[in-house]
Amino acid sequence: MERLRHIVQLIFAFVANCRLYITPSNPIYKGPLKHVCFPGLNCYSCPATPWACPLGALQSAFAGLKKNLSMGKLNMGLYVLGSLGVVASLIGRMPCGWFCPFGLLQDLLFKIRLPKIRLWRPLSWGRYIALFILVIALPIFFTDKFGFGETWFCKYLCPAGTLEAGVPLLIMSPELRSAVGTLFLSKFTIMIFFLIWSMVTVRPFCRTLCPLGLILGFFNRVSWLRLNFNRKICVDCHACELICPTDVFFATGRDDINSTKCIRCFRCYALCPGGAVTIEFSSIMKGQVEDIEGCHCNQEQG
């Protein structure tokens, strides 16, 4: 399962950054595919990507919300929310574990042989601060004299954007280097910090600050694809706690197996010796199957 996941991660990393023809005169693709959000954290301004970032698109919609409302336009980024909702309602936070290029980079860095440090659990609350303050509140309520807000998370924090867009654009366009200031240097420092942290802690950015992962994680308990834990057949080996990359401690009852922290890597499912962890589909689909089976039984008895 883990090998399959890494293969899928590599495939989607290429899909996310499949623009091969890049020139200094046309560094950023602006074609029709830019209206389609890639299901993972992948910067809109990355020279190699033809897609949009759902998190960036969502912030842009919120940043223009006050201005649009003043002009009588109800533009709330519903297409972004809709695309996120469709993906999340089907597979929950699975894109974080299988599709996200920045998640793959963190996974690879963690393979470096260094002493490892577990994440301090309270740091996971940073995701809520990033989502509700940087992504939603500040872009909507802190606007300029024209009524437009800023994409605070992308502009001031996102390390994926710095790595995928900021650094390549500076390399490709020497004229931009003279404009480098405190903002870029601070973001570059944040990027280096998270890359180094990823060598000793599993996916620190995903677990402490990524708003996109939190949005997708909200659907984990209600998505079509879900995990199920049967406590009755658990052999109490705690293997799931040892191998879970995001410290979802469901065997001891500390967390729900479909916690917002779960990235659907399915390690617990693949390694559970007692078969207590299973992959299931929604109760609606399950109920329909049971009804059909019940009808067949009644027909046979009749």
Side-chain angles (χ1 to χ4, degrees):
M1 181 69 75
E2 192 70 0
R3 179 175 294 180
L4 173 63
R5 186 171 74 91
H6 289 325
I7 293 173
V8 173
Q9 283 179 302
L10 290 170
I11 292 172
F12 272 88
F14 174 75
V15 171
N17 301 281
C18 60
R19 183 177 177 235
L20 302 179
Y21 183 69
I22 305 170
T23 62
S25 60
N26 185 29
I28 301 175
Y29 172 81
K30 297 179 181 179
L33 288 179
K34 276 296 187 193
H35 297 289
V36 180
C37 293
F38 180 80
L41 196 66
N42 203 66
C43 186
Y44 175 100
S45 298
C46 173
T49 186
W51 316 99
C53 172
L55 196 57
L58 193 61
Q59 288 174 88
S60 296
F62 287 145
L65 181 61
K66 185 181 288 188
K67 181 64 176 179
N68 288 326
L69 289 177
S70 68
M71 298 172 62
K73 298 179 181 179
L74 188 61
N75 183 3
M76 300 178 63
L78 294 180
Y79 85 95
V80 185
L81 293 172
S83 62
L84 282 175
V86 169
V87 172
S89 63
L90 289 174
I91 56 178
R93 201 180 169 184
M94 188 175 173
C96 296
W98 292 72
F99 307 155
C100 182
F102 199 66
L104 170 62
L105 176 60
Q106 293 176 86
D107 286 343
L108 295 175
L109 288 173
F110 187 72
K111 292 182 179 295
I112 297 174
R113 294 191 176 184
L114 289 173
K116 305 304 180 183
I117 304 172
R118 275 194 177 274
L119 185 76
W120 187 41
R121 286 173 70 94
L123 290 177
S124 63
W125 287 99
R127 301 173 301 153
Y128 293 87
I129 296 173
L131 174 61
F132 292 109
I133 295 181
L134 296 179
V135 175
I136 300 176
L138 292 181
I140 292 176
F141 298 109
F142 284 79
T143 57
D144 59 20
K145 61 182 180 180
F146 301 106
F148 292 104
E150 290 186 303
T151 55
W152 287 73
F153 182 82
C154 292
K155 184 175 180 179
Y156 296 102
L157 198 151
C158 184
T162 306
L163 179 65
E164 297 172 357
V167 173
L169 288 174
L170 284 178
I171 294 173
M172 293 176 58
S173 306
E175 65 275 9
L176 294 177
R177 298 171 194 170
S178 60
V180 170
T182 305
L183 176 59
F184 177 80
L185 293 176
S186 65
K187 286 194 65 179
F188 187 80
T189 302
I190 291 171
M191 179 195 75
I192 295 298
F193 171 75
F194 275 105
L195 293 180
I196 294 174
W197 194 5
S198 298
M199 298 178 189
V200 296
T201 300
V202 183
R203 290 185 172 231
F205 175 74
C206 302
R207 299 164 64 190
T208 62
L209 280 178
C210 184
L212 180 59
L214 180 60
I215 294 171
L216 296 172
F218 285 145
F219 289 79
N220 273 353
R221 292 184 176 91
V222 296
S223 61
W224 179 61
L225 182 150
R226 290 198 297 268
L227 291 172
N228 182 61
F229 173 59
N230 188 339
R231 187 70 185 85
K232 295 180 180 179
I233 62 175
C234 175
V235 297
D236 290 322
C237 67
H238 299 288
C240 54
E241 296 183 355
L242 294 174
I243 52 88
C244 179
T246 55
D247 292 339
V248 182
F249 297 151
F250 58 87
T252 54
R254 194 174 181 182
D255 299 303
D256 186 284
I257 192 171
N258 291 297
S259 163
T260 60
K261 297 184 294 183
C262 176
I263 60 172
R264 297 287 199 261
C265 67
F266 303 133
R267 285 184 179 181
C268 55
Y269 164 75
L271 297 178
C272 181
V277 178
T278 54
I279 298 174
E280 296 189 349
F281 299 98
S282 70
S283 57
I284 296 176
M285 293 292 295
K286 196 174 179 180
Q288 291 176 346
V289 172
E290 291 174 351
D291 289 343
I292 293 173
E293 290 177 348
C295 289
H296 285 309
C297 291
N298 291 333
Q299 290 174 357
E300 291 177 358
Q301 290 175 358

